[in-house]
Amino acid sequence: MKHRLSLFILAFFALSFAGAYYLGGLGRMESSADESAHYPPPKYDILGGLAVEASLLDLGDVWEDSEYALELPLRNQTGQEIRVTEFAASCGCVSLRPETLTIPPKDSKPLQVTLDLTKRQQSEVGRDVRPFVVDLSPRTSEKADSRPQSWRIQGRVKSRVTLDTLALHFGEKVVQGEPPVSRKVFASVHVPARAIEVRVDKPEVMAVRAVALNEDKSRYQLEFTPNADVLPLGPFKTTATVQVVTAEGETFRGPSLPVEGIVQPEIRLFPAQLLLGSRPHGKRTSKPIY
């Protein structure tokens, strides 16, 4: 009796273990199937046999950056070698490396793309969120298609700080030996910040003073003053870059502002006398007049 009971208990545990193993395996199979359903294979944008994963072309929301790095693997979908002789971009905000590519069949090569996300149109002045779109066209050694073809890189650019102008020009107001001339630019800060800083690539020729206009330091007045005693006569040009300093002490680069003008001399010299060439007037007669 005891022997039969022991056999029954062993059989019960064996069946239970086998059932648990089977159900567990089935559950894993169903889970894998569910995961495959939730994660479909990536989609590709294909141009002339070259494919780029579509999700890589969508930047989403990104912070303003003068050197935003993006890598695009270009896959050759054909059975023939593809040679890209050059790339054409719809704006000057793109730099590419390498500039030419040779991709074997069924292989891929990476294209390093650097985007300047600080460039903006006049209509986008002061906007803390703005769209970004650039078209990138590969030109291959094959016969060109008459239809325009390009990959579109797009997203939304967020700015930590914006300015109320795209450039600052002093005209001919800067004069050597006379009192300094200043110009004002207003900055809006769109993130919590301790302060903003302005760095000039030629600090000896341009002084900049940043003054907070409210308690939460979300609005600043930037005063630019050229140093006419250091600047040579004639045109001058420099670039100022605005940076945001967070409460934690981190520094983030913001927009760049081109500043230019013309330095005039204190005294302008004029000629002491003006000589005009002779020119006959009236009608000449045959007889002299006494």
Side-chain angles (χ1 to χ4, degrees), residues 179-239:
V181 178
S182 299
R183 291 285 186 271
K184 297 176 182 177
V185 173
F186 293 93
S188 298
V189 183
H190 305 287
V191 295
R194 178 194 301 173
I196 65 171
E197 298 176 347
V198 183
R199 298 185 180 274
V200 183
D201 59 358
K202 299 177 182 178
E204 70 278 3
V205 303
M206 183 75 58
V208 184
R209 189 167 67 100
V211 179
L213 300 179
N214 48 20
E215 292 184 2
D216 63 359
K217 297 184 178 180
S218 62
R219 183 78 171 163
Y220 279 81
Q221 174 183 286
L222 311 180
E223 188 176 67
F224 293 80
T225 307
N227 187 350
D229 295 332
V230 174
L231 285 167
L233 294 176
F236 67 89
K237 187 173 184 178
T238 186
T239 301

Side-chain angles (χ1 to χ4, degrees), residues 24-84:
L26 182 61
R28 285 193 296 272
M29 291 173 61
E30 292 178 350
S31 176
S32 300
D34 291 341
E35 289 178 359
S36 300
H38 289 305
Y39 298 97
K43 296 181 179 179
Y44 289 89
D45 281 357
I46 303 176
L47 299 178
L50 288 178
V52 172
E53 190 173 334
S55 62
L56 298 177
L57 301 174
D58 186 0
L59 304 182
D61 288 353
V62 293
W63 287 109
E64 184 176 52
D65 190 344
S66 61
E67 295 181 346
Y68 183 87
L70 175 66
E71 182 176 286
L72 296 179
L74 307 186
R75 179 169 179 78
N76 182 356
Q77 300 283 76
T78 72
Q80 303 293 328
E81 179 183 89
I82 294 180
R83 184 166 59 91
V84 181

Side-chain angles (χ1 to χ4, degrees), residues 18-170:
Y21 180 82
Y22 172 78
L23 293 176
L26 182 61
R28 285 193 296 272
M29 291 173 61
E30 292 178 350
S31 176
S32 300
D34 291 341
E35 289 178 359
S36 300
H38 289 305
Y39 298 97
K43 296 181 179 179
Y44 289 89
D45 281 357
I46 303 176
L47 299 178
L50 288 178
V52 172
E53 190 173 334
S55 62
L56 298 177
L57 301 174
D58 186 0
L59 304 182
D61 288 353
V62 293
W63 287 109
E64 184 176 52
D65 190 344
S66 61
E67 295 181 346
Y68 183 87
L70 175 66
E71 182 176 286
L72 296 179
L74 307 186
R75 179 169 179 78
N76 182 356
Q77 300 283 76
T78 72
Q80 303 293 328
E81 179 183 89
I82 294 180
R83 184 166 59 91
V84 181
T85 57
E86 64 175 334
F87 293 91
S90 60
C91 77
C93 58
V94 182
S95 61
L96 304 170
R97 187 168 48 90
E99 297 180 353
T100 62
L101 275 174
T102 300
I103 308 176
K106 305 301 181 181
D107 199 359
S108 63
K109 291 285 185 70
L111 177 66
Q112 306 297 332
V113 182
T114 303
L115 304 173
D116 185 355
L117 302 179
T118 64
K119 303 293 185 182
R120 62 176 69 209
Q121 305 295 325
Q122 185 65 42
S123 60
E124 298 173 335
V125 170
R127 293 179 59 179
D128 60 328
V129 180
R130 52 194 166 82
F132 176 83
V133 176
V134 62
D135 291 329
L136 186 63
S137 303
R139 296 177 179 174
T140 66
S141 55
E142 300 177 356
K143 184 178 180 180
D145 195 327
S146 59
R147 297 171 299 173
Q149 294 185 332
S150 62
W151 292 302
R152 172 156 290 185
I153 304 173
Q154 58 186 346
R156 295 201 318 164
V157 180
K158 301 189 297 181
S159 299
R160 296 180 176 88
V161 57
T162 56
L163 305 176
D164 67 343
T165 184
L166 296 178
L168 182 61
H169 205 297
F170 282 82

